[in-house]
Amino acid sequence: MNAIERLMRAGDRHQPVRGGEVWLVGAGPGDAELLTLKALRVIRQAEVVVFDRLVSPAVMALLPPEALRIDVGKSMGCHTLSQREIDQLLVELAQAGNRVVRLKGGDPFIFGRGGEEMAQLQRHGVVCHVVPGITAASGCAAASGIPLTHRDYAQSVRFVTGHGRNGEADLDWRGLVTAGQTLVFYMGLTRSETLAAQLIRHGMAAQTPLAIIERGTLPQQRVLIGTLSALPALIAHQRPVSPSLLVIGEVVSLYRAASIIAAQPEAALPA
Ligand code: SAH
């Protein structure tokens, strides 16, 4: 037995995946190798997997072939199931005795509504386990060679949603414009023009560097570099698609295209 098999066996003994319980599992930003070993162990034993749009095909390929897959994916403005229906579905699947995995992109508790799902399960007396995942901000930034808190540039980092409960996010713009702070906007693409205008209005330099990381950690990853005032033009010309993440702050100046090659060694090696 190799070391990984030993780890997984130990996990099975200490935290068995039981029927009638739900595992809220973070699938990470896309690259299947960024799953945790615990996530892998748990999804390998799933009987029913309830997943959303952000879970990559490479991660889906690791599910047991016989597992029932339920797509509750949401693309903006077009919800397959409402959140309330998803909560209800998880409760019913667990109460029917299934080993249920709720697979979510990134980390279940970062802008993923995992907290709401856990609360509903608990309210119905269903045992809920949570497996953390690498959230898009840290996964995408690291994989593109942007250190979110390089100490010469940033002493803090904020993860911000560009999308509030009812669409427009009501943000504390003044608090966001702080020296030595990196901002990472999730779901910020469609509102990027407002985001840039508000940050500039509240005192952020128009020349502040920013990056759009499109499909981070996936084979199609693209990193677009610009400045705050040029954000609308960057989007108009490059037309990034979802999912994309916006990183704003001086740390972006550390980005070098070559670091992508370092992060994906196969791209640098001759065939
Ligand atoms: N729970 C997830 C976030 C869900 S919100 C997490 O922890 O990562 C969805 C937003 O996450 C997307 O609109 C996008 O801004 C960001 N995102 C998720 N995966 C991404 C990826 N591979 N590349 C770029 N952005 C990503």
Side-chain angles (χ1 to χ4, degrees):
M1 205 191 315
N2 66 29
I4 291 178
E5 284 163 355
R6 263 202 301 279
L7 264 176
M8 294 224 178
R9 284 256 175 114
D12 273 336
R13 274 198 302 276
H14 298 303
Q15 283 184 300
V17 182
R18 295 199 182 91
E21 299 181 359
V22 174
W23 289 75
L24 263 175
V25 175
D31 179 350
E33 285 185 293
L34 296 177
L35 277 176
T36 61
L37 287 178
K38 192 188 286 282
L40 182 61
R41 173 175 71 84
V42 170
I43 65 180
R44 274 185 179 165
Q45 299 179 55
E47 288 172 329
V48 184
V49 180
V50 179
F51 66 99
D52 60 32
R53 194 177 49 94
L54 277 178
V55 179
S56 67
V59 170
M60 292 301 292
L62 297 171
L63 301 179
E66 66 281 5
L68 175 66
R69 296 146 195 241
I70 304 178
D71 181 359
V72 293
K74 295 172 202 160
S75 39
M76 250 209 300
C78 122
H79 286 205
T80 310
L81 284 184
S82 70
Q83 188 61 46
R84 190 193 286 242
E85 288 169 324
I86 296 173
D87 297 344
Q88 189 58 30
L89 176 69
L90 293 173
V91 169
E92 285 174 14
L93 287 169
Q95 286 176 341
N98 295 292
R99 287 199 293 269
V100 184
V101 168
R102 171 67 172 116
L103 196 53
K104 285 177 163 294
D107 181 273
F109 283 177
I110 302 282
F111 306 129
R113 301 225 183 154
E116 294 167 46
E117 294 175 11
M118 180 182 69
Q120 279 303 326
L121 291 163
Q122 289 169 339
R123 204 161 294 148
H124 286 84
V126 174
V127 175
C128 173
H129 310 264
V130 185
V131 181
I134 295 183
T135 191
S138 51
C140 299
S144 341
I146 299 175
L148 290 177
T149 62
H150 188 295
R151 67 175 180 169
D152 292 344
Y153 300 89
Q155 289 69 52
S156 68
V157 56
R158 277 178 76 170
F159 296 173
V160 188
T161 175
H163 214 242
R165 194 174 250 281
N166 302 311
E168 291 278 288
D170 191 14
L171 297 172
D172 163 25
W173 298 106
R174 209 175 300 274
L176 291 177
V177 183
T178 301
Q181 175 165 269
T182 306
L183 299 180
V184 183
F185 280 96
Y186 288 68
M187 300 173 279
L189 210 51
T190 51
R191 291 194 61 229
S192 55
E193 219 156 304
T194 318
L195 294 180
Q198 288 281 23
L199 291 172
I200 291 172
R201 185 167 313 142
H202 287 84
M204 190 177 277
Q207 291 310 308
T208 306
L210 67 80
I212 298 174
I213 306 175
E214 179 193 45
R215 297 175 173 164
T217 80
L218 294 166
Q220 311 90 327
Q221 170 172 297
R222 204 158 62 116
V223 182
L224 310 172
I225 300 292
T227 60
L228 195 53
S229 55
L231 179 59
L234 184 65
I235 290 180
H237 289 123
Q238 300 291 336
R239 300 186 178 283
V241 297
S242 175
S244 283
L245 201 70
L246 212 55
V247 182
I248 304 176
E250 294 303 326
V251 293
V252 173
S253 64
L254 294 165
Y255 171 78
R256 300 285 176 272
S259 63
I260 297 183
I261 295 171
Q264 295 178 351
E266 75 277 14
L269 295 173

